[in-house]
Amino acid sequence: MSTTAQGDSAMASEGVTAPPTAAPSTAAPSTASPRPRGRGGRVLGWILVIALVVVLALLSLRLMPTELDLGGALNPESPGPNGAGAIAELTRQQGVQIDVTRSHTSATAQLDPGATLVLTDPPALSDSAVMDLVHSADRVVLLSSSSRMLRLLDLGESTFAAGSVQAECDLPEFSRVGTVDAERMFVPGAGVTACFIDDEGHAAVLRGVDGDTTITLLDATKLLSNQHLAENGNAALGLALLAQTDDVVWYVPSFADSDLEDGEPASLGELTPNWVTPVILLLLLAGLAAIWWRGRRFGPLVTESLPVTVRASETMHGRARLTAKAADAAHAAAAIRTGTRTRLASRLALSPRASSQEVADAVSDRLRVPRGSLYELLDGATPQSDHDLIDLARSLAELETAVDAAVHTERNRP
C-alpha cells in the first residue's frame, strides 16, 4: 500500500475529512527572463555616431591643407638619407649663397647673371618650360637624368654601365676630386665634354654648351645624398659642381609646380555626384541592419592547416626574374603601375579595384596638383626601354612618398 493510501486511511479512521486535491496544472510557469527593450534605440544612436564620423571625415578631406614634403631625393632641406642637406651646408661654408625654391617661375626670377641653377629632373614641367628654365641661367647643374632630359639637352645617351671612375678630363674643377663610384654612366654626344670615363668610353659627368648656357649633367642620386656623401670623392665632386659661383638657385621640382594643365584643380565636392552621399548612408544603414539581424548567428571560425606554405616573397622574386630575363619593359611597367595604384588606393581609402583615373583624381585632390601629369604617370604611354622604365619607377616612388607624407601629416595633425 502506498504512503498516500495509508494517509487517507488514517484520516478516515480518525473521522477527519481530507481536503479535496487540486487538479494538476496543464502548463508550468515560465522561468525565462523578459527580453530587454530599448535595443532599437541603441542601434539608432550608433547609426547617428557613425554618420557624424563620416561627415567629419569628408569635411577634413576638403579643409585639411597639405604641407610641403621635405623627404624627396636630393632635397637641399632634407636631413634624411636620400636628401642633400649635407652637401648644401658644405657649399654654404665655402661662402656660396643657396636659395631654395619650389616654383620654376620664382627660380627664373631669382637667377642673376653668373648664378648657378641646380635642379633634378622635373617630371611635372613641359618640355618648353624646362628649356625656358635652363636657358634663363648661365650655368646649370642637373643632378638627375632621364631619357627626356638627355634628348632635350642633346648631351648623349644613357647606358647600363656603372663603376669606380676618375675624372680624366680637361675641366680644372674636377682635377682634385679623386675616385667616385658612379651608379649611372652615359655615352657623350657630339661636342660634349665627358668626365669620369671608364675603359669603354662611358662617362659619369657630361658638360655641354647650349647658346650662352653651360650645362653639366650627372646622376647624383647616390653620389651627393647624405648617406653616401662621405664615401670616396663624393663631397669633393659636389663642391666642384656647386661652389664655382657665389650664388646658387636650387630648384626642387614637385607635382604642385606644373604647367601641363591650366586652371585650379577641382575640389572633392565638385567631383562627387549628388547621389553619392545618400547611397553611402543607405548602404551604411543596410549594413548595420544586417549586422543587427544576423550578427549573433555566426558560428566560430574553423581553422584548417594547408599542406604547403608558399612565401609571398618567393612568388614576387620569381616573377621579377622572369620579367628581367624576358627584358619585357612594358610588362614590368604595367606591374609597377598596378602596384602603385593599389597602394595609393589603400592609403587614400579607395576601392582596391579603383581605376587609374579615380586614383589620379584622389591624389590630385590630396596634394592639390593638376591631373594632367598624374594621368600620364599612372596610365600613360608604355616605356620602350629599360631607361624609361627606371625613370617611370622613380617618378612613381616620388609620388608615393608625397602621398605618404600628406596622409601622415593629416593623421598627426591635432
Side-chain angles (χ1 to χ4, degrees):
M1 183 181 295
S2 64
T3 306
T4 305
Q6 293 177 358
D8 292 343
S9 175
M11 287 187 293
S13 63
E14 296 177 1
V16 180
T17 304
T21 302
S25 175
T26 58
S30 174
T31 59
S33 60
R35 185 177 181 179
R37 298 182 180 180
R39 186 174 183 180
R42 291 195 298 270
V43 172
L44 181 60
W46 279 109
I47 292 175
L48 293 178
V49 170
I50 294 175
L52 180 61
V53 171
V54 172
V55 172
L56 292 178
L58 293 176
L59 290 177
S60 64
L61 290 177
R62 298 187 61 182
L63 301 178
M64 187 71 70
T66 302
E67 295 184 354
L68 293 174
D69 175 31
L70 300 181
L74 295 180
N75 189 327
E77 296 178 343
S78 172
N82 296 325
I87 187 60
E89 184 60 28
L90 287 177
T91 305
R92 291 189 179 97
Q93 293 177 6
Q94 301 299 317
V96 179
Q97 179 180 352
I98 298 180
D99 298 322
V100 181
T101 179
R102 288 173 171 79
S103 170
H104 66 282
T105 56
S106 176
T108 303
Q110 295 179 22
L111 284 169
D112 296 328
T116 299
L117 173 65
V118 180
L119 74 158
T120 56
D121 179 24
L125 295 182
S126 63
D127 294 351
S128 59
V130 170
M131 296 308 297
D132 291 341
L133 179 61
V134 169
H135 289 156
S136 63
D138 295 334
R139 189 172 183 271
V140 177
V141 177
L142 186 62
L143 299 181
S144 66
S145 62
S146 65
S147 299
R148 183 184 72 145
M149 296 303 297
L150 290 171
R151 173 179 53 84
L152 290 177
L153 302 177
D154 195 19
L155 294 176
E157 298 179 355
S158 181
T159 66
F160 286 106
S164 298
V165 290
Q166 295 182 351
E168 298 182 0
C169 65
D170 298 333
L171 299 179
E173 59 264 34
F174 298 135
S175 59
R176 302 179 63 182
V177 171
T179 302
V180 296
D181 190 6
E183 189 178 20
R184 191 173 186 180
M185 308 284 282
F186 308 93
V187 177
V192 175
T193 302
C195 290
F196 298 93
I197 306 171
D198 62 7
D199 296 337
E200 298 180 0
H202 303 146
V205 178
L206 300 180
R207 171 71 62 83
V209 178
D210 188 355
D212 297 331
T213 303
T214 301
I215 304 171
T216 304
L217 180 143
L218 74 160
D219 190 348
T221 306
K222 177 181 177 182
L223 293 174
L224 301 186
S225 63
N226 297 332
Q227 184 178 5
H228 301 282
L229 187 63
E231 299 176 359
N232 301 322
N234 294 350
L237 175 62
L239 293 177
L241 292 170
L242 306 180
Q244 300 302 315
T245 59
D246 295 334
D247 296 320
V248 170
V249 177
W250 198 313
Y251 170 60
V252 181
S254 66
F255 288 98
D257 184 37
S258 175
D259 65 326
L260 298 179
E261 184 177 345
D262 297 329
E264 295 294 330
S267 63
L268 180 62
E270 296 174 352
L271 296 174
T272 304
N274 296 330
W275 53 266
V276 170
T277 302
V279 168
I280 291 176
L281 294 178
L282 181 60
L283 292 176
L284 183 62
L285 293 175
L288 292 176
I291 293 173
W292 179 77
W293 174 44
R294 301 290 294 179
R296 299 183 63 183
R297 300 193 181 187
F298 292 135
L301 296 177
V302 178
T303 60
E304 181 181 0
S305 59
L306 296 178
V308 178
T309 301
V310 179
R311 296 181 179 178
S313 59
E314 295 180 3
T315 304
M316 178 186 66
H317 288 301
R319 292 180 177 178
R321 284 191 294 266
L322 289 175
T323 303
K325 185 177 181 180
D328 190 358
H331 185 229
I336 294 174
R337 280 171 166 163
T338 300
T340 298
R341 287 195 298 266
T342 302
R343 290 188 292 272
L344 290 178
S346 175
R347 295 185 181 107
L348 299 175
L350 298 177
S351 169
R353 299 181 179 179
S355 63
S356 301
Q357 185 174 2
E358 293 173 347
V359 174
D361 291 338
V363 174
S364 175
D365 293 331
R366 182 61 58 91
L367 299 181
R368 301 293 190 269
V369 299
R371 291 167 176 76
S373 58
L374 296 179
Y375 291 161
E376 178 65 22
L377 185 60
L378 292 176
D379 197 10
T382 301
Q384 301 300 321
S385 64
D386 291 337
H387 305 301
D388 296 336
L389 177 62
I390 293 173
D391 298 332
L392 174 63
R394 287 181 177 176
S395 299
L396 291 174
E398 292 179 1
L399 178 61
E400 289 193 49
T401 300
V403 173
D404 284 340
V407 173
H408 180 73
T409 301
E410 293 175 2
R411 290 178 178 174
N412 293 335
R413 183 177 295 276

